[in-house]
Amino acid sequence: MKFLLGVLITLGSMGYVYADPESDREAFVKFYAERFANVDMQDHKDGAYALDKAKRAQWLEMEEFPPYELAVDEGRALFSVPFSNGESYASCFDHQGIGVKQQFPKFDMASNSVITLELAVNQCREANNEPVLDYLGDEMGYITAYMAFTSRGEHFDIQVPDAGLAAYEQGKQFFYERRGKLDFACSSCHMTAAGNLLRAEVLSASVGHATHWPAYRFKWEQVGGLHKRFIECNEQVGAVGLAPQSEAYRNLEYFLTYMNNGMELNGPASRK
Amino acid sequence: MNNLMILLLLTLTFVVSGCSESQESGVAAQGNEVQSLIDQAIAADQLAQQRQHAWIITDELLQDAITAQAANDEVAAKAAAERALFTANAALAQADKEQLAWRARVPR
Amino acid sequence: MESRPVKMRGKVVDSVAEIKVLMKHPMETGTRRDDAGAVIPAEFIEQVTCEHNGNVVLTAEWGTSVSKNPYFAFKVKSAKSGDTVKVGWTDNLGNSSEGEIVLK
């Protein structure tokens, strides 16, 4: 009897945990649709600027002549320069690398891991005997800013094959797991408290979190990627940040981007 | 009388040297305790790092403990080491609890 | 010195042109240190000059409090389509750059 109960509980909890990604996403979106009934779902791609009129007005003014324009120009130039061996970024991506950002992150069967755009850029460089770029450096920012720019207007349609479920689940766990001295999970701020003020900032909804990267953050005075933000967020709650493009962050990006399926890409973006 | 004085002086010397000896071993005992605390905190913090749950403050407190220890400030070193061990263990407890606790936050 | 473009946008509304400028410049204050501990030398825009059809309409004296890649906007009166607006800067090292647009 006890054994049977144990089996049922285990199966039940497994069944709960391993609910399919699509059911997860529907529940995820429903949460934000109910929390922000007056906000169009697509507007969440603008993050906190979808939730605060005054901030939005200031941000729109800045968007008329956005600070990431310089990065996009640099990226466009870098993208067209061939590697020493004559190849270029275009040879590593579909459509010559133009308008492909929405494909990332993707689960790679061969390596049994999640490939993000930044990782793909460095893999491209490695394959062509070029030195890899610092994930938190300017050049990676320029290239990804340009690639994001060419993908504006596209929509996410991330796939989670059976082989990718474990990575997806790990990303999901990370999102909901409390960490750091402040004992906050991503969901603590961006789900439970989404729309609330945290000090002087409005907390944005995670349903728009993957769309606008890389971002020019005034705080950074540079264009930085999503993993730079992950590190920053982790450190803000007192947790030691992990390495950019570490497995945990790539899995988190995988989960987060899947949750953003159907959302329109609007990177690169400017953020405070 | 002189012999008595000499005997008294000798006794006094032994007693005094005996006192300082025990004083020294008292300090040495404290030093070992601090080192043990620091070692334990480092071990716990490394475990937390492996589990990707380390707290920033643990390393800061460890640095404080090590600096105080090098400056022979046993009191400050012990206090910092105890706090470092506390936060390192708290990070591990958080990792343990969160293994299952996260599931309750997933919207259905 | 690598290319330091001065990007400009201009829009005429009721004979007033709203000009927006984005300048690429490190705007180093001279107080930051690099990883080795050496001071990063000061490099900042000192003078900005804006011209409308060849006439200076605005000069600005900047310093270290202006951030990297400065953005600024200004308005020009009596502007019409076809006018040229030019913005140039010089910095403390003697470098300079400029940009020009023709208002639509």
Side-chain angles (χ1 to χ4, degrees):
Chain A
M1 192 56 197
K2 260 198 199 161
F3 175 71
L4 193 62
L5 203 61
V7 168
L8 282 171
I9 290 172
T10 310
L11 284 175
S13 63
M14 273 174 70
Y16 168 69
V17 168
Y18 291 102
D20 64 294
E22 196 51 26
S23 308
D24 283 343
R25 194 191 65 78
E26 280 168 16
F28 194 85
V29 170
K30 179 163 162 254
F31 174 89
Y32 292 107
E34 287 172 358
R35 170 67 65 94
F36 302 108
N38 297 324
V39 178
D40 197 60
M41 192 50 64
Q42 285 295 339
D43 283 348
H44 285 294
K45 67 187 187 296
D46 294 335
Y49 302 120
L51 308 176
D52 183 304
K53 282 198 174 64
K55 288 186 203 273
R56 184 178 183 82
Q58 286 176 37
W59 174 71
L60 283 173
E61 251 196 60
M62 184 45 72
E63 281 289 306
E64 281 182 48
F65 207 164
Y68 51 74
E69 250 198 41
L70 294 169
V72 172
D73 290 343
E74 296 268 5
R76 187 181 288 114
L78 284 168
F79 210 74
S80 59
V81 171
F83 302 133
S84 325
N85 66 357
E87 292 292 343
S88 66
Y89 289 112
S91 57
C92 297
F93 295 95
D94 292 341
H95 312 297
Q96 317 281 305
I98 306 299
V100 296
K101 186 173 192 295
Q102 70 281 6
Q103 295 174 6
F104 294 91
K106 54 174 93 167
F107 190 77
D108 178 44
M109 301 293 211
S111 61
N112 205 43
S113 65
V114 172
I115 309 291
T116 59
L117 180 66
E118 287 84 352
L119 192 66
V121 165
N122 266 351
Q123 281 179 345
C124 182
R125 293 179 65 89
E126 266 183 309
N128 288 289
N129 295 318
E130 293 287 320
V132 292
L133 299 174
D134 174 8
Y135 287 117
L136 302 176
D138 284 335
E139 200 170 327
M140 182 58 84
Y142 297 152
I143 291 167
T144 52
Y146 171 63
M147 293 181 82
F149 189 73
T150 66
S151 275
R152 279 190 170 185
E154 303 283 355
H155 296 83
F156 282 123
D157 184 24
I158 307 297
Q159 303 298 315
V160 178
D162 285 344
L165 263 176
Y168 166 87
E169 282 293 325
Q170 280 175 33
K172 182 168 141 189
Q173 177 168 347
F174 196 107
F175 185 83
Y176 292 106
E177 222 179 8
R178 290 184 188 277
R179 26 186 32 88
K181 191 178 81 164
L182 296 188
D183 206 37
F184 284 166
C186 307
S187 61
S188 307
C189 289
H190 295 294
M191 202 165 220
T192 313
N196 292 358
L197 278 168
L198 182 67
R199 296 193 183 130
E201 302 300 334
V202 175
L203 292 166
S204 55
S206 278
V207 76
H209 272 180
T211 65
H212 49 267
W213 295 93
Y216 181 95
R217 265 209 98 176
F218 288 100
K219 191 175 161 184
W220 300 336
E221 280 193 331
Q222 98 177 135
V223 169
L226 180 54
H227 291 208
K228 187 175 168 98
R229 188 66 182 108
F230 286 162
I231 292 168
E232 205 174 43
C233 278
N234 282 169
E235 288 178 349
Q236 280 173 322
V237 302
V240 172
L242 309 177
Q245 301 306 321
S246 55
E247 193 186 354
Y249 281 168
R250 279 183 285 121
N251 290 345
L252 177 59
E253 184 178 335
Y254 192 37
F255 165 76
L256 201 56
T257 316
Y258 187 91
M259 292 295 107
N260 282 208
N261 267 355
M263 294 294 285
E264 186 187 313
L265 276 78
N266 61 337
S270 62
R271 289 286 185 274
K272 198 178 149 191
Chain B
M1 193 54 189
N2 271 345
N3 283 344
L4 201 61
M5 282 302 284
I6 292 167
L7 192 60
L8 201 63
L9 266 168
L10 281 169
T11 317
L12 214 61
T13 316
F14 285 135
V15 167
V16 165
S17 62
C19 277
S20 60
E21 232 175 51
S22 61
Q23 235 181 357
E24 271 168 12
S25 56
V27 167
Q30 260 187 297
N32 285 339
E33 191 189 353
V34 170
Q35 190 55 52
S36 166
L37 282 168
I38 289 174
D39 289 341
Q40 284 176 64
I42 288 174
D45 187 43
Q46 277 175 348
L47 201 55
Q49 280 181 46
Q50 278 165 37
R51 298 179 66 181
Q52 298 180 331
H53 263 272
W55 291 7
I56 292 171
I57 193 150
T58 305
D59 189 54
E60 289 172 1
L61 290 165
L62 272 167
Q63 295 311 312
D64 286 348
I66 290 166
T67 309
Q69 190 191 40
N72 284 319
D73 186 348
E74 297 291 341
V75 173
K78 183 160 179 251
E82 276 173 348
R83 287 179 63 200
L85 184 57
F86 175 81
T87 60
N89 283 333
L92 288 170
Q94 181 189 59
D96 286 339
K97 181 173 77 82
E98 286 302 303
Q99 281 275 64
L100 289 177
W102 70 270
R103 297 178 188 180
R105 298 180 202 117
V106 181
R108 272 161 278 180
Chain C
M1 185 188 81
E2 92 277 273
S3 153
R4 297 250 174 98
V6 175
K7 306 192 65 162
M8 297 174 64
R9 300 253 165 89
K11 187 163 65 176
V12 181
V13 176
D14 288 339
S15 83
V16 172
E18 167 111 26
I19 312 291
K20 296 177 199 247
V21 190
L22 184 62
M23 307 168 174
K24 188 169 154 74
H25 197 284
M27 297 303 285
E28 278 297 348
T29 59
T31 59
R32 289 203 311 141
R33 289 180 185 272
D34 61 22
D35 291 333
V39 170
I40 302 170
E43 188 177 353
F44 56 92
I45 292 173
E46 283 186 319
Q47 181 94 358
V48 179
T49 310
C50 310
E51 293 175 25
H52 173 219
N53 288 337
N55 303 314
V56 174
V57 289
L58 185 153
T59 57
E61 287 170 25
W62 286 359
T64 55
S65 55
V66 178
S67 326
K68 181 172 158 183
N69 296 341
Y71 162 83
F72 92 108
F74 61 98
K75 292 181 181 167
V76 181
K77 292 192 287 195
S78 315
K80 59 187 191 303
S81 173
D83 287 355
T84 40
V85 178
K86 187 157 85 170
V87 173
W89 57 259
T90 50
D91 69 18
N92 65 315
L93 298 181
N95 294 317
S96 61
S97 182
E98 62 180 30
E100 193 178 85
I101 50 162
V102 174
L103 298 176
K104 292 206 176 73

